């Protein structure tokens, strides 16, 4: 959407739901408004790609009044990335996207898996906020919701403190006690740190569980994709995830997996039933294309008036 006063107001209302992103984006929007007042600005929502999810994927099993009154449901994030890499994968494989069952793993500081059926998001691991799903750099991912009131009570935490704990002080940093940066966690693990090893293993285990769940959700998997900071760069992580997925017909080629490159590439063996690919994401390109389309459409509409 092109940014106007209403859009800014709506984004402000959503600060609580993505506290790591929305307030920072608003600062950017205001800074550009101040310094480049004649330049149009757009917001491209990371949730848009996931609007194709069926009810069975996006509803929470809680009273429907919460959905009807407050739109509490799963939205999913990293949509721009999952959209881009799934299209790139189909192109790389020279296969029609409509015929593919893809599990896309966007593993960066934030991390999510998406089940992409025929080019459309069918399910994704992030929920109403980016907190749900995989373990991340500083986010907890899935947890028993009863922990929230229990911990608040025991530790005398406020709502904002518990929100900050789960978004900013959990995940890799909490378990490793070292860093939210996967490079530092892997290095510490290699130097013998037990907490770093536990953090790495938990992180991998969660990804593997989601890949398995999404293969079941789609009744099959043709392509497993890795992207984003960790997914594109960490052969150690990819190997660890794939090692436990041989039952699906996933066979990693160690030499291919170790190759470093900025291009899309196959890292499975030729015999592997599932194609395992590394596809560098390019959210900026997709956002730029969407922005160009929006600005052009607005200019044309203005010229018609
Ligand atoms: P992103 O959010 O996509 O920018 O990804 C950031 C994350 O990618 C950080 O946690 C980095 O530590 C991680 N990352 C970048 N390069 C590597 C690497 N070679 N091995 C492991 N993690 C990496």
């Amino acid at each position: 959407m092109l940014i106007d006063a209403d859009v800014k107001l709506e984004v402000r209302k959503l600060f609580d739901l993505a506290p790591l992103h929305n307030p920072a984006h608003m600062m950017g929007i205001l800074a550009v408004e101040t310094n480049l007042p004649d330049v149009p600005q757009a917001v491209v929502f990371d949730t848009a790609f996931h609007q194709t999810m069926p009810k069975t994927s996006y509803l929470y099993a809680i009273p429907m009044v919460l959905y009807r009154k407050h739109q509490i449901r799963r939205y999913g994030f990293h949509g721009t990335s999952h959209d881009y890499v799934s299209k790139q994968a189909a192109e790389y494989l020279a296969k029609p996207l409509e015929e593919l069952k893809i599990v896309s793993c966007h593993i960066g500081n934030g991390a999510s898996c998406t089940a992409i059926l025929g080019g459309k998001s069918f399910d994704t691991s992030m929920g109403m906020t980016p907190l749900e799903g995989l373990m991340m750099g500083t986010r907890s991912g899935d947890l028993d919701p009863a922990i929230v009131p229990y911990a608040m009570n025991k530790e005398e935490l406020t709502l904002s403190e518990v929100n900050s704990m789960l978004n900013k002080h959990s995940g890799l940093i909490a378990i490793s006690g070292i860093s939210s940066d996967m490079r530092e966690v892997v290095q510490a693990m290699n130097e013998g740190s037990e907490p770093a090893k536990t953090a790495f293993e938990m992180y991998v285990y969660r990804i593997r569980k989601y890949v398995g769940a999404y293969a079941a959700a789609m009744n099959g998997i043709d392509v497993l994709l890795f992207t984003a900071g960790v997914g594109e760069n960490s052969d150690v992580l990819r190997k660890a995830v794939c090692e436990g997925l041989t039952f699906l017909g996933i066979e990693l080629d160690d030499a291919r997996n170790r190759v470093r490159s900025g291009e899309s590439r196959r890292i499975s063996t030729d015999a592997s039933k599932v194609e395992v690919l590394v596809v560098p994401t390019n959210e900026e390109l997709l956002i730029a294309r969407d922005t160009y389309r929006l600005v052009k459409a607005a200019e044309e509409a203005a010229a018609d008036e």
Side-chain angles (χ1 to χ4, degrees):
M1 303 178 87
L2 285 177
I3 293 175
D4 58 18
D6 287 344
V7 171
K8 279 192 291 186
L9 197 67
E10 287 301 315
V11 171
R12 263 187 206 288
K13 282 193 207 157
L14 304 175
F15 271 15
D16 276 357
L17 298 187
L20 302 186
H21 293 91
N22 289 345
H25 285 166
M26 186 54 72
M27 286 169 73
I29 291 168
L30 297 177
V32 172
E33 265 181 11
T34 306
N35 293 292
L36 301 166
D38 298 329
V39 174
Q41 296 193 66
V43 277
V44 176
F45 291 98
D46 235 9
T47 48
F49 180 62
H50 300 298
Q51 290 293 299
T52 51
M53 284 195 290
K55 269 202 212 71
T56 40
S57 298
Y58 73 67
L59 284 179
Y60 289 110
I62 55 177
M64 283 300 279
V65 62
L66 293 171
Y67 171 62
R68 290 201 199 98
K69 253 174 87 178
H70 305 293
Q71 297 79 47
I72 295 180
R73 49 159 282 181
R74 312 183 63 254
Y75 292 99
F77 298 85
H78 291 149
T80 325
S81 178
H82 290 297
D83 186 8
Y84 179 81
V85 294
S86 56
K87 289 190 173 107
Q88 289 293 112
E91 207 177 296
Y92 176 84
L93 296 168
K95 288 188 177 156
L97 185 57
E98 298 68 38
E99 290 171 16
L100 293 176
K101 294 173 177 174
I102 300 176
V103 177
S104 167
C105 303
H106 176 111
I107 314 294
N109 194 31
S112 68
C113 283
T114 298
I116 302 168
L117 190 55
K120 299 199 162 104
S121 174
F122 181 76
D123 201 353
T124 192
S125 59
M126 283 178 166
M128 180 170 104
T129 80
L131 186 57
E132 195 180 339
L134 299 174
M135 176 171 156
M136 309 180 210
T138 63
R139 296 193 190 108
S140 64
D142 292 333
L143 82 167
D144 180 344
I147 291 168
V148 173
Y150 190 82
M152 283 175 78
N153 189 25
K154 291 281 177 191
E155 287 284 312
E156 296 180 13
L157 300 173
T158 63
L159 273 175
S160 127
E161 283 167 342
V162 82
N163 207 18
S164 164
M165 176 185 89
L166 297 173
N167 275 290
K168 297 184 181 167
H169 306 288
S170 294
L172 279 179
I173 182 84
I175 305 299
S176 71
I178 291 166
S179 175
S180 62
D181 189 313
M182 185 52 97
R183 281 169 293 201
E184 289 174 22
V185 173
V186 169
Q187 191 187 336
M189 175 172 74
N190 291 340
E191 288 165 0
S193 158
E194 269 306 312
K197 183 164 182 278
T198 305
F200 180 82
E201 287 176 355
M202 284 172 69
Y203 192 90
V204 165
Y205 180 62
R206 290 267 182 112
I207 299 171
R208 198 187 296 139
K209 280 208 293 189
Y210 266 100
V211 175
Y214 287 164
M218 296 189 290
N219 193 18
I221 167 172
D222 302 310
V223 185
L224 174 63
L225 283 187
F226 288 97
T227 192
V230 183
E232 288 170 35
N233 294 305
S234 179
D235 55 314
V236 180
L237 181 283
R238 295 192 298 259
K239 185 176 159 76
V241 169
C242 291
E243 255 167 11
L245 293 173
T246 48
F247 80 101
L248 286 175
I250 288 176
E251 229 181 73
L252 207 67
D253 182 309
D254 272 339
R256 286 179 185 168
N257 183 40
R258 281 196 301 269
V259 172
R260 298 185 69 87
S261 132
E263 304 290 316
S264 296
R265 57 201 183 273
R266 176 184 281 109
I267 57 168
S268 44
T269 62
D270 292 341
S272 180
K273 274 196 252 161
V274 176
E275 301 271 14
V276 186
L277 306 182
V278 177
V279 179
T281 193
N282 196 342
E283 292 156 293
E284 290 80 2
L285 179 61
L286 222 143
I287 292 167
R289 282 181 186 152
D290 276 352
T291 305
Y292 179 77
R293 189 173 46 76
L294 285 164
V295 172
K296 262 267 167 293
E299 278 174 5
E300 279 166 18
D304 285 349
E305 272 171 17

